[in-house]
Amino acid sequence: MSLATEEAKDNVVRVGHRMAQSRLVVGSWGNISTLVKKDKLVIITPSAVNCDNLHAHALITVDLEGNVVEGNLKPSTELKLHLAVYKSRPDVNAIVHTHSTYGCAMAVSRQALPPILEDMAQLVGGPVPVAEYAPAGTAELAENCSHALGKLNAVFLANHGVIGVGRELEEAFQVCQIVERTAKVYILSGILGTPHVLTPEDVKSHHNYYLTCYRRPTNKNK
Ligand SMILES: [Zn+2]
């Protein structure tokens, strides 16, 4: 394995521990992957292992067709979904999947989350749509997810959870954190009155600012 792949494993473990502490997932539900472009390999968390107990040797390395290259455990049940997103989005190198409470409330009510906060507009680049329902782990869910995600950075899986994507793991994790906070604010502001949505022009301007001025430079190994 190249240095880039070994570094990618360390990143998955680090973000896995942070995800477990963040309460965006409970137990082993939720998964993380990252693409090492130069090696054409994906590092993904194993199925049924709590993220707070995650170690680099528990991770699974697969090729872009999903064949296991390294690892003794079973890859996450959502491997198909992760691979489908990497295939449809050449700009994406990391995917984080959570079952966070307010995100799940949106996913269960099957309502898109409009861009109501500036940080959300910056990172997500628009609303968070809802992918049509299909059971977890199926090729149908993978297709529905990629289709609904389009060029955005987050999507709800109907009656299931949240997908956040990014150029690197830290960014995909931040997307999930910001989507969760925005979903909470949206639900609370709906109780207080009518949530006001940012205009498409404002969303575009915030997203462009993030892409051109705010975002960290790319990791040279990717
Ligand atoms: Zn899930």
Side-chain angles (χ1 to χ4, degrees):
M1 294 286 154
S2 73
L3 181 63
T5 298
E6 294 305 326
E7 280 179 2
K9 287 182 191 171
D10 291 341
N11 284 337
V12 171
V13 170
R14 204 181 59 244
V15 171
H17 291 167
R18 287 183 59 202
M19 186 162 88
Q21 287 159 10
S22 71
R23 299 189 181 179
L24 295 182
V25 292
V26 175
S28 59
W29 285 274
N31 39 70
I32 297 172
S33 79
T34 190
L35 169 68
V36 184
K37 244 178 201 153
K38 62 186 248 189
D39 294 342
K40 297 192 171 105
L41 293 173
V42 171
I43 316 293
I44 190 161
T45 46
S47 178
V49 171
N50 283 13
C51 273
D52 49 1
N53 294 329
L54 200 60
H55 296 285
H57 60 74
L59 299 174
I60 319 298
T61 306
V62 298
D63 65 21
L64 295 174
E65 305 309 314
N67 302 304
V68 175
V69 174
E70 189 184 60
N72 298 317
L73 300 175
K74 244 175 82 181
S76 161
T77 48
E78 296 302 353
L79 175 62
K80 287 191 187 87
L81 182 152
H82 287 247
L83 294 175
V85 171
Y86 290 129
K87 205 169 267 184
S88 65
R89 284 285 298 273
D91 60 316
V92 166
N93 297 311
I95 300 169
V96 174
H97 169 46
T98 75
H99 291 180
S100 58
T101 307
Y102 291 94
C104 280
M106 300 301 295
V108 167
S109 61
R110 300 191 183 180
Q111 288 184 58
L113 177 63
I116 52 164
L117 291 172
E118 293 184 344
D119 53 7
M120 180 226 182
Q122 284 187 17
L123 263 174
V124 178
V128 181
V130 185
E132 217 171 293
Y133 179 77
T138 60
E140 193 186 354
L141 180 62
E143 195 185 317
N144 294 351
C145 171
S146 289
H147 179 73
L149 180 67
K151 291 180 176 172
L152 296 161
N153 289 335
V155 62
F156 296 125
L157 306 178
N159 300 81
H160 180 163
V162 181
I163 297 285
V165 306
R167 199 175 54 166
E168 56 184 13
L169 264 175
E170 188 61 38
E171 191 174 63
F173 181 57
Q174 266 182 11
V175 167
C176 287
Q177 289 178 303
I178 281 184
V179 166
E180 177 64 2
R181 181 174 152 272
T182 310
K184 184 176 181 179
V185 170
Y186 182 63
I187 292 164
L188 290 174
S189 61
I191 295 169
L192 292 173
T194 304
H196 294 274
V197 178
L198 292 167
T199 64
E201 294 72 31
D202 283 333
V203 172
K204 200 173 168 189
S205 146
H206 287 301
H207 190 51
N208 283 342
Y209 168 75
Y210 174 74
L211 294 178
T212 55
C213 305
Y214 195 77
R215 179 151 84 164
R216 291 197 305 170
T218 321
N219 182 328
K220 60 183 185 308
N221 288 321
K222 295 280 176 70

